[in-house]
Amino acid sequence: MKLYSKLLLTIVPIIIFIGSNNIATKKTYTAAVVTKVIQEVKHKSGNEDWQTTKPLTQLKTNDLLKTGQKSVAVLKYVDGSILRVRENSTIVILADKREKGLIKNTKIENGKLVFDVNKQSDDDKFIITTPTAVATIRGTSGLIEVLDDGSTLLLLQTGSIELESLGLNRQTSVVEAGTSSLINPDGNIITNELTEQQKQSLSNAYKTNEKTIKVQTNRGNFKIYYLDSE
Amino acid sequence: MKLKFFLLFFICSLKIFPQNSINILVFPAISSTSFSALIPSNELQNNVRIFCVDVSPQGIPVVIKGTFEWKKVGSNVFLELGNFETNQFISKNFCNEELGTAEIPIKSFQSNQQLIDENLQIGVPSGVYRINLALYNFDGTILLAQDSEELSFLNPAQTLQIINPRPNLFYDPGNLLVEWTSIAGADDYFIKANTRSNPSQSLEEALNSGIPLVNNKSVGLINSVNLREILERELEPSSEVVIQVSANVPGPLGGNRIFSQIVNFNVVNPENPLVNVNELRLRNILRRLTSSQLLALIENNQLNLNEIRILKEDNSPMTIEELVNFLESNFENILRIEEE
Amino acid sequence: MSKTLLFFLFFFNQLLFGQFENFDYKTNPPEVFENQNFSLIIELLEFENVNQAVLFFRGFGEGDFISKEMIIQGNSLIVEIDGRDVKPPFIDCYVKGLTENGVEFTYPQKAFETKNFIRIDIKNKTEQSGELILLNPVQDDILTKEEFFIAFSILRVKESLDLTKIRIMLNELDISRLIQISDDLVYIPQGSQFELKTGVNSLKIFLYDKSGKLLKELSVLFQIISEIQKKEFEKIKFVLNGSAELNLSNENLRYGSNNFNRLNLLVNSNYGSIFSNANVFITNEEKSFLQPQNRFSFLLYNNWFKLNIGDHFPSFPSLILSGKRVRGFGTDIKLGFINFQATYGEITRKIEGNLLTLIKRDTIVLDPNLIKIDSIKYGQPFGLVRFGNFSRKIFAVRPYFGSGENFQLGFTYLHSRDDENSIEFGSKPRENLVIGSDLFLGFDNKRIQFNFQGAFSFLNNDISLGNISDSTLDSLKNNNNLGIDADLLRKIRDLLGNFITVNQHISPLNPHKLPTLALETGLSLNYLGNYFKGNYTYIGNDYSSFGQNFIRTDIKGFQILDRISLFENRVFLSLTYERLNDNLQKTKITTTTFNNYETALSLYLRNNFPIINFSFSNFDTKNDIDQFTNDSLSLMNMINDNIKVFNFSSSYDLKYFIKHKLSFNFINSSKTDLTPKDFSSKFNSFNFSIQNIWKKDLNTFIKTTFSNSKIKNTDFDYFSITLGGRLSLFENKLTNSASLSVFSGDLKRSVLDLSARYSFMKNLYSNFNLRYIFNSSNIKNESIINFSLRYELY
C-alpha cells in the first residue's frame, strides 16, 4: 500500500508534467498552407517583421496574413477548407488541435474573405470571428466582410451558420443559404434574401484564377489582367 | 495790257516753279510688324513696305528731313524717338524700304536711346507712332513741303478661342452653333471644318486632309454662326468633326492670320445614339483603375474604338460593349492593365 | 371500371397539362467533385412515353442555361456533364421534353418560372480522397514548374499512420526522401530536386498504417506549363494580318459635284517580339497645289526600338511637337534609364505662288500681296502675287532618362526652317528654334503624378536676308546713332548663328522679359475614388513652335479639376475651374480675363435604372476697358460677355415585350454680350430617340429634334423627325438599313438614307450607302453615294 502510494505520488506528477508539457508544446500548430498568391500578400509570425507570402507558406496559430490592393491569397486549412482572402484584408489564424478534432478560428480584422468549409465532424469546429460577430460554420460556403463602420456582412451561399453578434444587444441566429445578414456594432442582426447584386458579388469573390484579355490597337497592344473562376 | 503780262508771268512762273508737295501714305491699321521696318538706316535694310511718299515736283534735287515720334500705350504725349536727314537725291515717289539704300542714302540719324530701349524692352511695336517728313531744297535750307501721318499698332495678336462646340461632345447633325472670342483689328473671320477619319489622326492632320466640310469660309465680322448654314459638304451621322476659326488682321506682306485651337466633336447617329455610351463607360471604368497608357490613349482621342481588337484568353473576339459589361461587373477582379 | 376510368382521367389530365411528377434523379458517381465528369440520370417511375428530352443546366453565378440532349434508355433519361462545366458549389438544372403524343413537359414543374431547379452539390477536389486531404496540386490543375509544390493533410489519418512509410511517386519516380512534415501537413517544397515534364504529370501518394498495410492511396493528374517555353513558342510564331479597302464616293451637292476614290492598305505582322505595320493611303484628292493627301508609312518596333519611315506623327512634349505629320524618319530607342527619340522630315510641302500683276518702281501701291520680284526676269521690280508655301523641314531630338513608369526627365531640341529657294513667289521665309525640358514623377503606383514641361523659342520672321553680315555690324559699330551694341550683336550672331539665322527680324528682342517662354505644370492625385488635378500654364505672347502651330499664346493661369466617384462608382461628379488672363508683356491696351467653370454629374445606377448625365458650364470673358467709355478705339476693343451652357442627357434600356433603347438629350446655350456690339445669341436643342430591338436581326428607330437658335436677332428654328430600321438576312450575311428624316421650319428638306452591307465570305464584305436630300424648291436636290469593298486578312 505504501509502495503503491509512493508509486502514485511519483508517477502522477511525472505524468502531469509530461502531459502539461505536451499541452504547452501545442501552442503553435500548422493550421493552414497558402496555395495561391495574387500580387501583394504578406504574413507575420509573433514579433517578426512582415514577410512576403509565397505559395506553400505555412500559417501557424496566431500568424497574421494581410493582402494589399488588388491582391488575393488562397489558403487551405489542413481539413481541406478553403479561404480566399480578398484585397485589403487582414486575418489572424487561430487553431487549437485537440485530442479529437481541430478547432479553427479565423479572425478578420478588416476586409473580406470567401469561405468554403468542408463538412465538420462533431469534434471539429470552424469559426470565423469579426469585431462584431462570431460565425460557427459546418459545411458551408459564403462571404464574410468587415465593413468600414465595423459592421459584419455575411452572404451565405450554401449550408447554414450559427451567428452570434458581439454588440450591446447580443443576439444569436441561425442563418440559412441564400440569405444575407448584416450585424451592426450594436449587435443587431438583420437578415434578408440575397439580392442579385449580392449574388454577383459572391460569384466574383470566388474568382482567383489569373487570366488576361488582350486589347490590340494601332498604338500598341495591352493586356488586362483579371481574376476568373478556377 | 499790263494785266495780261502779269497773268502770263504768273503762269510762266508757275511752270518754271511748279507747286511743291509731299504726301505720306501709310498701311491702314497694321497690327504688328518688326522694328526693322521702322528704322531708316543705311545698315539695316528691310523688305517690308509700311508707308510710301508721294513727292512733287519730281526730277529735282531735294533733301528730306524726318522725325519719328512715339506715344506709348496709356499716354497722351508724343515723344521723339529719332530724326534723320537724307543726302541730296533726285526727287521721286518712294516707299520706306528705299530709305537708306543707294538711291536715297541717309546723311545722319539721331535717336533717343532711352526711348529706343523702352521699345526694345516691350519687344514689339506698340502704341502709336508718328512720322513727320519735310521736303527741302537741294541743300536743305528751304522748306518746300511737309506732312505727317500716324501708325497705330493695335493690340498685337490676341488669342482666338472657340467657345462652342465643346471638345468630344455629341451634337445633332442638323444644327450646331459655333461660337468664338473676338479679335480686335480683325476684318473677317473664317471657318474650316473637316471630318476626322479615325481617332489616331491628329486634329491638325484631320483638318488638312481631304476636302473639308467647310473650306475656310468667310463669315464676316461676327462671333457665332450656325454650322449648318455654311456647310459645303454633308455631316455624316456617327462621324467625328474637327473645326478651326481664324481671323484675318490686315497688314503688309499678307497681314496676319490668327488661328484658334482645333476642336473635335461628334455627330449623333439617330440609329444608334448609344454608340458613344460605351466609350464613356470604358473611360469611366479605366479611370477607376490605376492610370494606364490605354486610358491615356483613349482620353487623348488617339484610339479608334471601332478599330481595336479585343481577344479573350482563348483568342475568341469580344466587342467593346462586352468588354465594358465585363469590366463593370467584374471590377473588383481587375488586377492591372499593362502594355505589351 | 371506376378505377380504370380514374386512371385514364388522370393520365389524360397529365397529358393535357403536361405535368409529370413521378420522376427521381441520381448522379453517377453519387458524390460529384469539381472538374469531374458525371452522369445525371432521371428515372421515370411510371410512364415510358417520352420521345425527346433536353437538360438545361447552369453553374453558380451564371445567368444562361446550357442545353444538352438526353439519351432515353427505357425508363431513364441520361446525360453526361463534362467536367469543365462542373464547378462548386452547385449546378442547377431542369428537364424539358416531349412525349410521344407531342405534349411538352418540364421537370421540376414550372422550374424556370418558380426557380425550383434540381440542385446538384459539387464538392471541392480536396475532399476527393476522404481521409487523405490533398491540398496541392489537385486533379487537372495547370501550373508552371515554379508554382508547383506538393502538400496534403493527414489530419484525419494521423493516428493510425506510419509517418516513416509515406510514399510519394511523381511520374513513377519515388521522391519520398524529400518529404517534410509540419504537424498534420506533409509537403515537398518548391525547388526540390525532381523532374517535372511539360504537359501531363502524375502524382501518387501511398499511406501505410503501423502494421505496413496500405491505408490509403491517391492518384491525380496535373499539367505543367513552362513560362519560358510558352514565350519561346510565341517567339517563333509568325503572325500576319491586315486589310485592304477600296472606297468610291460621289457627292452631288448644291455647290458642285465631287468624286472621291480612296484605297487604304494596312498590313501588320510580327515575328516573335518584332512587330511591323505598313500603311498606304491613296486618294484622288492628292493635288500638287495642296498639302499631301496620300499617306505612306512603315513602322518597325519591338519593346526597346521603334523606327518610322514615311508619314508619321512624332510624340514629343506637347508644347514643342505634337499632332504634326512629318514625312521622313523617326526613331525611338529605349535602353532602360537612358533613352532617345528623334525625327526628321518635311512638315510642309512647297506650293508655288502666282504672279498676278507687275508694278513699276514709282507706283505707290500699299497692298498686302506686294513683293519685290526679279526685275531682270520680269522687267519690273515689284509685283502683286498670290503667295505660295515654302517647303518646311523639321528636326527634333529628345534624349530622356527614365522609362516614365515613375520618373522621366527629357530635354528637347527642335529646329525648323523654310527653304526660301523652294518657291519663287513667297514672302517672309521663317526659321524656328525651340529648346525645352520635361519632367514626370509618379508615386504610389502613379496615384500621385507630377508633370512639368518648359520651352523657350526663337523665331526669325524673315530669313531671306540671311545672317546679319560682318560689314553691317562694322557699319553699325561705326555709326552708333541707333544705340545698338554691335559687338554684343556679333557675339549673339556667332553663338546662335549656328542654330538659327540672326538678323533684325529675330524674336525675342527682349529675351529677359521672357516673351517666348512656355511653361506647363500639373499635379494629379487619385485616391479613394477621387481624381484631383491642378494645372498652371504660362505661354508668352511670342512663343512659337513650328511643331505645334495652334497653341494658345499670351496666356497664363491655372485650372483645377476634381472627379469623384461615389456610391461604389455609380455616381461620377466632376468639377472644373479655370482662370486665365492675357497681355503678359503689357503690349496691349487692355488685359482680358477668362473665368470658366464646368460641372458634370453622371449617374450609372445599374439594376434597371437609366444612365443620366448633367453638365453645366459658365464662361466669363471680360477686359478692363471702361464700360462707359466713348473712345472709339476702346469701344472696338471692349469685351464683356458671358456664356452659359446646360446639357442633360439620359439613356435607358426598357423591356416591354421587346427591348427598347431610349435616349434623350437637351442642350441650352445662351451668350450675353454686354458691350455695345451686342453679339448675344441663344440656342436650344431637344432630341429624343427610341430604338426597338425586335429580334437580333431586326431593329427600328424613331428620333425627333426640336431646335431653336437666335444669333444677333436672326432666328433659325426647325423640327425634324426620323424613322428607320435595320434588317439582317441570310444568316447576317446581308444587312440593310433605311431611314427617312423630314425637316420643317427654317430648314426645309427631307433626307433619305439607304445602306446595305454584304459579306461575300468571312473576310470580304462590301458596303453601299446612298443619301438623297430633297431640298426646298429654290435649292437643287443633292445626293451622296458611297461604295466600299473591304478585305481582312487574319
Side-chain angles (χ1 to χ4, degrees), chain B residues 109 111 175 184 205 210 271, chain C residues 293 295 481 510 637 707 726:
Chain B
F109 177 80
S111 61
N175 194 21
E205 164 84 347
E271 185 187 333
Chain C
Q293 301 298 317
R295 295 285 179 265
N481 290 322
N510 54 342
N637 288 306
S707 176
R726 178 185 284 264

Side-chain angles (χ1 to χ4, degrees), chain A residues 209-213 224-228, chain B residues 326 333-335:
Chain A
N209 195 14
E210 193 171 312
K211 285 190 180 171
T212 58
I213 291 174
I224 302 174
Y225 290 84
Y226 68 98
L227 293 176
D228 200 0
Chain B
F326 174 82
N333 282 331
I334 307 300
L335 297 172

Side-chain angles (χ1 to χ4, degrees), chain C residues 762-789:
Chain C
K762 194 177 116 186
N763 297 347
L764 177 66
Y765 56 90
S766 69
N767 272 312
F768 173 78
N769 298 294
L770 166 67
R771 166 169 273 215
Y772 197 84
I773 304 168
F774 301 90
N775 283 312
S776 57
S777 54
N778 53 345
I779 303 170
K780 78 166 194 174
N781 291 342
E782 298 164 295
S783 67
I784 302 169
I785 302 173
N786 179 277
F787 171 78
S788 69
L789 188 65

Side-chain angles (χ1 to χ4, degrees), chain C residues 386-402:
Chain C
R386 184 186 65 76
F387 288 113
N389 286 344
F390 293 106
S391 159
R392 181 177 286 175
K393 286 198 164 56
I394 199 167
F395 169 69
V397 63
R398 175 176 174 254
Y400 59 103
F401 306 94

